[in-house]
Amino acid sequence: MNKRLIVKSILWAFASVGLVVAWARFSMGLGATTALTDDTPWGLWIAFDVMGGVALAAGGFVIAAAVYIFHLEKYSPILRPAVLTAFLGYTAVVIGLLFDLGLPWRIWHATIFWQHHSVLFEVAWCVMLYLTVLALEFAPVALEHPYLQWPILQRIHKLLKWLTVPLVITGIMLSTLHQSSLGSLFLIMPYRLHALWYTPIIPALFFVSAVGLGLMMVTLEAFASSWLFHHKIKTDLLAGLAKAASIVLYIYLAIRFVDLAVHSKLGYLFEGSWQSALFLFEISISALIPAVLLSFSKIRHRLDALFACSLMVVFGMVLNRLNVGIIAIEKSPGNVYFPTWMEISISLAIVSGAALVYIFCAENFRLFTDEKEEKKSIEKRQFEQPVFDAPSKVWLGDSLVQNISVFSIIVVSVISITAAMLPSKAISGYERDPVPVRKAVGWETIKIDGNRTGEFVLFNHKEHEQRLEKIHGEREGCLACHHASIPQDGPTGCYECHSDMHLSSNIFDHEFHQKALQGNQSCTQCHAEGQSKSRESSIACTECHQSMFQKIDTGKADYYIARSYMNAMHDLCIPCHQEQSQILGDENIPKCAFCHVHPPQTNEDRMQKKNVDAFPFSIQNGEN
Amino acid sequence: MPDLYELARGPLFRLSFLIMALGLLRLFLLSLFGIVQMVRRARDKNNSYGKILLTTASWMLPVHRLHRHIPLISFSSFLFHAGVIVVPLFLLDHIYLWQASIGIAWPGISRSVADVLTLLTLITGTLLLGFRIFSRSIRQNSGFVDYFLLIVLLLIFATGYIASRPYNPIPYQTVMLIHLLSAEVFLVLTPFTKIAHCILFPLIRLTSELAWKFPPDAGRNVTIQVHGEVKSI
């Protein structure tokens, strides 16, 4: 019991971390929480949770087929745990997918809006249907519980038992379809996936490897549950599974190497690159070593060897899915994907949640159908379970929920610590990286290129000056653009206040003013006394610096925050250009391409071409 | 220093506030759960809930019940509680911060009312601390935590008051840092110390009333615990 308490506590801790990160992911989005980019749109959640999860759940249909189709009754004791694992595995897949989808609330779209040219359409339908089948396959176990003995539920129970074999057959069909179709997804990227992993028969490889992995996963699970629930391990049963796994892994190896030979890719194996080393490592631990070891009957009957082999296969096959999904995919130079701790924590939390449900089912349902042991443990548990004593109207024994105070304190503390550790972008949302603005250079014609990308705009300052003087008058013409100046300065350049390309910037140096006015004796010189000290309660700049805002326009210095350089430029130029286009009757003046010309042009150039086209960008390219 | 200030404003505040909020919620739910268990197990299910409710309500106005021989204590304790509850929750500066961070605001009290309440809290808090130190009977019932929590609370209110004055000799950032850190210590300690009565007070009377109704087989369980098995008589 103590062992189980520790394991459950750790699982609760992982699940709580995931809870906080899930909040951040769903409220602030993928950009704020993941390392995913346009270059790497599929990351850990797809490769591990979806592709790995589906493969790990393959034990369900393999064992069901063995028991119901091939009548290998020997394996019936591990049928229920295998079906439960498959059910939880697929639930984890769906939850993992919800995290990865950009618009998760549209997950039902595949049911209504059919796109039968898409592989994902098949995957979506198979996962949905197989999840339903698994739920129906597992439901009879839950319906055996003494709390669920209502007549209507018992009728459903009977119906489901009668439907077992059709359900199992449907399950096998659906599994075959989409274990392989997860591989088919990669058929559309033959040049992105490394040659050692890409093959036109990748769907078949996915299916065969899933069968081997499923068998070994069931074995590993038997070890875990015997450790947690003190069962005796049936060695001959596991040895039987291992024999089957060994054969399947040999088949997998044969297909894989023959395929490499047929496509004359065997040379890549000894290329010496990290990909070839990774491939050799993956193939040896996922198939080669376990298959060879498990083909000896002596080794198959040793528990430590079985445990090591099953661990190797599970690790190796998950690595295979990670390789196909992330690692062996070509990326543009300099673009490295490594999942953030938040992505990893979500994956861990989903696995932990599934494990917690598994333990709950093992504690409350007849999961391990070994009659003798079951009876013993029921007798032992009788005093622990609450029993209603009808005559005295009293519940005897312990409560249903055990150790609630331990788990709740773990959840509370882990949630708080995780929330404190969240990076600021996961709390306030994704924000662009700051791009400091550089000064525009030139004299009569100014080159405006704030972020120095070379995509500059040539601005004829002199010509604008003359025009605006004509329109507004001599002084007002300057003020039309130079609306504010730094104290003691003439017309200040835009970049001094609008100092970031895309972000708003603070133009008030609080520390400087505080020092200049002798510390906090002087708060009330700017902040009204008796009010909260905030931007809102402070006086306007012009109350001290009369000449700072040449043109009084408080909207342009809203609480001492200057807009981004880009917004400031656009909002200054476009309204005036729109006005002038009305007056001059030239519809091109307010258009993007009037200023953003590639390659940049001076006004003289533009004037020479009488009819400025609406899209000089494309025309320029065409001429070149 | 500015880094420490940012740390105290951001991550440390989130940590302490969540520990306080979730910890109190956990305590409340666990107490409710315990009460349900007690009622399920007790044979005698006749509980005078009305009377318990009345007692609970009457403890909210403790002036006429507590310390009839030292009315000053009950009076200052009442004022102290009023200040401690109202000022942190309804101070406009705090509400602005909530509005800036999570976008929720509620009506607050004016600066002058807050100042008066803060001063009252500081005076009554000092009085209560004085009673704890100098009155023998109270000193005997006090532990380290009782002094510590009271001093931390006084520190929070004092630094908050100083920080909101425009004229004071201490740098604003230092005062605010002490204000933040002491408030965070207090928040973290809330669910683990007697301060938890801020959320548990509706259940305290109920729990102590119901806890005396033993389950019918309580005697048998005690016997098993003591002797290992039940001996037939």
Side-chain angles (χ1 to χ4, degrees):
Chain A
M1 187 60 213
N2 215 5
K3 196 172 11 176
R4 217 184 303 161
L5 181 67
I6 293 167
V7 170
K8 274 157 90 175
S9 303
I10 294 169
L11 293 176
W12 272 110
F14 280 135
S16 318
V17 175
L19 214 62
V20 178
V21 178
W23 170 81
R25 184 258 166 268
F26 285 118
S27 57
M28 293 305 158
L30 290 169
T33 43
T34 64
L36 297 172
T37 54
D38 287 345
D39 195 51
T40 320
W42 281 6
L44 185 73
W45 292 338
I46 290 296
F48 178 75
D49 290 303
V50 175
M51 279 156 57
V54 165
L56 287 171
F61 83 90
V62 176
I63 303 293
V67 173
Y68 290 112
I69 311 294
F70 301 110
H71 288 289
L72 300 169
E73 300 290 342
K74 188 171 98 177
Y75 298 110
S76 62
I78 51 165
L79 176 64
R80 287 178 162 200
V83 171
L84 177 61
T85 315
F87 177 52
L88 293 176
Y90 271 82
T91 315
V93 167
V94 173
I95 293 172
L97 199 60
L98 275 177
F99 275 95
D100 195 81
L101 289 178
L103 308 172
W105 52 92
R106 291 197 181 168
I107 196 168
W108 54 272
H109 272 209
T111 54
I112 310 277
F113 306 108
W114 286 23
Q115 169 51 276
H116 31 258
H117 301 290
S118 166
V119 178
L120 278 174
F121 172 72
E122 187 200 340
V123 175
W125 266 102
C126 284
V127 170
M128 262 189 295
L129 291 175
Y130 189 44
L131 191 60
T132 317
V133 166
L134 281 169
L136 295 177
E137 265 187 73
F138 184 69
V141 181
L143 290 173
E144 282 171 9
H145 196 272
Y147 281 14
L148 302 174
Q149 295 301 318
W150 311 339
I152 177 130
L153 290 181
Q154 286 317 301
R155 279 180 124 175
I156 295 172
H157 188 179
K158 261 188 192 167
L159 181 73
L160 285 178
K161 275 203 153 173
W162 183 68
L163 277 175
T164 303
V165 175
L167 278 178
V168 168
I169 294 172
T170 324
I172 294 166
M173 275 171 15
L174 290 169
S175 287
T176 315
L177 274 171
H178 92 280
Q179 289 285 358
S180 56
S181 62
L182 278 180
S184 318
L185 286 176
F186 292 90
L187 290 179
I188 58 166
M189 44 177 93
Y191 305 112
R192 269 201 94 181
L193 190 57
H194 188 268
L196 281 171
W197 282 273
Y198 178 78
T199 153
I201 57 158
I202 195 169
L205 281 177
F206 261 53
F207 177 71
V208 178
S209 63
V211 173
L213 172 61
L215 288 165
M216 288 332 286
M217 185 63 198
V218 171
T219 313
L220 195 64
E221 220 178 274
F223 281 106
S225 63
S226 83
W227 181 70
L228 271 180
F229 299 100
H230 310 287
H231 291 298
K232 234 186 130 197
I233 297 179
K234 295 189 188 65
T235 316
D236 59 324
L237 195 150
L238 293 189
L241 287 181
K243 192 177 174 186
S246 162
I247 296 167
V248 174
L249 289 177
Y250 273 128
I251 297 172
Y252 170 69
L253 281 169
I255 300 178
R256 202 142 184 195
F257 280 103
V258 167
D259 174 70
L260 283 179
V262 166
H263 291 98
S264 44
K265 285 180 187 166
L266 280 173
Y268 284 112
L269 280 179
F270 309 104
E271 200 183 40
S273 61
W274 65 266
Q275 283 102 336
S276 67
L278 185 67
F279 181 84
L280 289 174
F281 174 68
E282 181 212 301
I283 203 89
S284 24
I285 63 159
S286 72
L288 199 63
I289 299 174
V292 172
L293 284 179
L294 292 176
S295 49
F296 298 105
S297 169
K298 239 184 197 171
I299 295 179
R300 278 208 300 273
H301 284 84
R302 277 183 55 175
L303 286 181
D304 48 356
L306 266 177
F307 180 71
C309 286
S310 57
L311 206 61
M312 266 196 278
V313 175
V314 168
F315 178 77
M317 286 301 182
V318 171
L319 179 66
N320 168 259
R321 300 305 195 260
L322 287 177
N323 284 342
V324 173
I326 310 174
I327 302 171
I329 288 198
E330 298 287 332
K331 306 209 170 42
S332 56
N335 213 331
V336 181
Y337 168 78
F338 190 82
T340 60
W341 68 267
M342 291 179 276
E343 285 179 82
I344 298 170
S345 75
I346 286 289
S347 289
L348 275 176
I350 292 174
V351 174
S352 306
L356 278 174
V357 178
Y358 185 91
I359 294 175
F360 174 83
C361 290
E363 282 170 351
N364 291 287
F365 302 132
R366 250 161 45 94
L367 200 60
F368 311 104
T369 45
D370 191 331
E371 304 286 333
K372 250 192 220 161
E373 264 183 38
E374 198 64 31
K375 257 185 197 163
K376 226 193 274 168
S377 69
I378 284 178
E379 269 168 27
K380 224 170 80 188
R381 268 197 312 209
Q382 210 156 41
F383 198 61
E384 291 171 12
Q385 294 288 321
V387 186
F388 186 64
D389 185 33
S392 59
K393 293 182 181 167
V394 165
W395 289 84
L396 303 174
D398 289 344
S399 73
L400 251 184
V401 195
Q402 304 275 331
N403 299 315
I404 187 170
S405 60
V406 178
F407 298 140
S408 58
I409 191 87
I410 288 171
V411 170
V412 166
S413 40
V414 173
I415 285 182
S416 313
I417 293 168
T418 316
M421 275 168 46
L422 284 180
S424 64
K425 67 174 181 176
I427 291 166
S428 49
Y430 177 75
E431 209 172 58
R432 303 185 70 138
D433 293 332
V435 179
V437 164
R438 315 270 188 88
K439 188 181 176 182
V441 289
W443 186 244
E444 286 190 358
T445 297
I446 297 177
K447 195 169 103 177
I448 300 175
D449 187 10
N451 50 355
R452 289 289 188 274
T453 51
E455 302 277 326
F456 51 88
V457 167
L458 285 174
F459 175 76
N460 192 327
H461 190 268
K462 192 164 188 199
E463 192 210 58
H464 278 84
E465 202 181 308
Q466 288 163 352
R467 257 187 234 213
L468 287 165
E469 265 175 26
K470 258 186 232 163
I471 300 169
H472 296 289
E474 199 172 322
R475 188 168 175 274
E476 291 293 310
C478 295
L479 296 185
C481 300
H482 294 277
H483 56 96
S485 319
I486 291 175
Q488 323 293 331
D489 193 14
T492 304
C494 313
Y495 74 101
E496 297 259 19
C497 294
H498 304 280
S499 55
D500 193 280
M501 195 68 191
H502 310 291
L503 304 172
S504 301
S505 35
N506 184 15
I507 57 168
F508 181 72
D509 189 345
H510 189 264
E511 210 169 324
F512 171 80
H513 283 78
Q514 211 180 3
K515 272 187 191 152
L517 298 172
Q518 274 113 47
N520 53 353
Q521 305 288 330
S522 54
C523 300
T524 45
Q525 288 192 27
C526 303
H527 298 283
E529 197 171 354
Q531 269 188 38
S532 174
K533 291 186 202 107
S534 60
R535 286 177 188 276
E536 288 84 351
S537 73
S538 53
I539 57 171
C541 304
T542 40
E543 297 208 13
C544 297
H545 307 286
Q546 278 88 3
S547 62
M548 191 171 160
F549 290 97
Q550 304 285 340
K551 194 175 164 192
I552 304 297
D553 190 351
T554 46
K556 281 182 178 167
D558 202 8
Y559 297 129
Y560 318 106
I561 290 177
R563 321 189 56 197
S564 72
Y565 193 67
M566 200 174 84
N567 282 346
M569 291 291 141
H570 284 164
D571 290 1
L572 186 68
C573 302
I574 294 172
C576 197
H577 275 222
Q578 278 171 338
E579 214 174 274
Q580 291 304 309
S581 103
Q582 296 281 323
I583 295 168
L584 302 174
D586 185 350
E587 57 172 16
N588 289 323
I589 296 176
K591 284 184 175 161
C592 302
F594 191 74
C595 304
H596 297 277
V597 191
H598 185 85
Q601 289 179 327
T602 58
N603 255 20
E604 289 72 35
D605 293 342
R606 230 172 288 163
M607 288 305 149
Q608 278 167 9
K609 270 187 201 159
K610 275 293 171 204
N611 290 320
V612 181
D613 196 273
F615 304 103
F617 185 86
S618 56
I619 284 187
Q620 289 284 338
N621 280 350
E623 281 173 0
N624 292 342
Chain B
M1 178 86 159
D3 288 346
L4 196 61
Y5 182 61
E6 284 303 315
L7 187 75
R9 268 168 62 113
L12 285 183
F13 179 74
R14 283 203 297 274
L15 176 75
S16 51
F17 184 80
L18 277 174
I19 285 186
M20 187 273 293
L22 295 175
L24 287 180
L25 185 70
R26 164 181 175 268
L27 278 181
F28 189 78
L29 293 178
L30 280 182
S31 305
L32 265 186
F33 184 69
I35 287 170
V36 172
Q37 292 296 316
M38 279 191 270
V39 173
R40 275 157 70 101
R41 288 192 198 167
R43 177 171 294 182
D44 176 14
K45 288 192 172 32
N46 296 320
N47 296 314
S48 44
Y49 292 110
K51 206 178 147 197
I52 296 169
L53 195 70
L54 218 69
T55 334
T56 308
S58 78
W59 275 91
M60 288 182 72
L61 266 174
V63 182
H64 68 292
R65 293 185 67 105
L66 256 179
H67 296 290
R68 274 170 214 197
H69 54 299
I70 318 179
L72 184 59
I73 290 188
S74 46
F75 190 66
S76 46
S77 164
F78 185 73
L79 280 181
F80 180 72
H81 276 82
V84 166
I85 294 167
V86 171
V87 176
L89 285 179
F90 296 104
L91 186 71
L92 278 175
D93 305 50
H94 290 179
I95 296 173
Y96 282 136
L97 287 176
W98 283 115
Q99 193 174 19
S101 59
I102 57 170
I104 299 171
W106 52 91
I109 51 174
S110 72
R111 178 40 77 70
S112 48
V113 176
D115 280 348
V116 171
L117 273 174
T118 307
L119 285 177
L120 270 179
T121 313
L122 282 171
I123 293 165
T124 52
T126 319
L127 259 176
L128 291 174
L129 189 64
F131 273 114
R132 274 205 192 279
I133 294 170
F134 297 114
S135 161
R136 203 174 149 205
S137 58
I138 302 178
R139 191 169 63 228
Q140 280 168 345
N141 281 318
S142 311
F144 169 74
V145 177
D146 298 305
Y147 296 103
F148 182 72
L149 286 173
L150 197 49
I151 290 169
V152 170
L153 206 60
L154 286 176
L155 191 63
I156 300 170
F157 274 79
T159 46
Y161 187 77
I162 293 172
S164 64
R165 301 293 97 196
Y167 306 105
N168 65 68
I170 315 163
Y172 175 78
Q173 285 231 329
T174 319
V175 180
M176 274 314 284
L177 188 66
I178 300 171
H179 181 68
L180 274 167
L181 289 177
S182 51
E184 280 154 11
V185 167
F186 189 80
L187 286 179
V188 167
L189 288 177
T190 302
F192 305 108
T193 53
K194 61 173 188 175
I195 314 296
H197 75 267
C198 64
I199 189 137
L200 289 180
F201 80 90
L203 302 179
I204 290 171
R205 294 289 110 199
L206 196 61
T207 316
S208 51
E209 201 72 29
L210 294 175
W212 285 102
K213 312 228 161 160
F214 296 116
D217 59 345
R220 183 169 165 271
N221 284 344
V222 172
T223 320
I224 291 172
Q225 283 293 320
V226 175
H227 296 290
E229 56 181 290
V230 188
K231 284 176 186 164
S232 54
I233 305 160

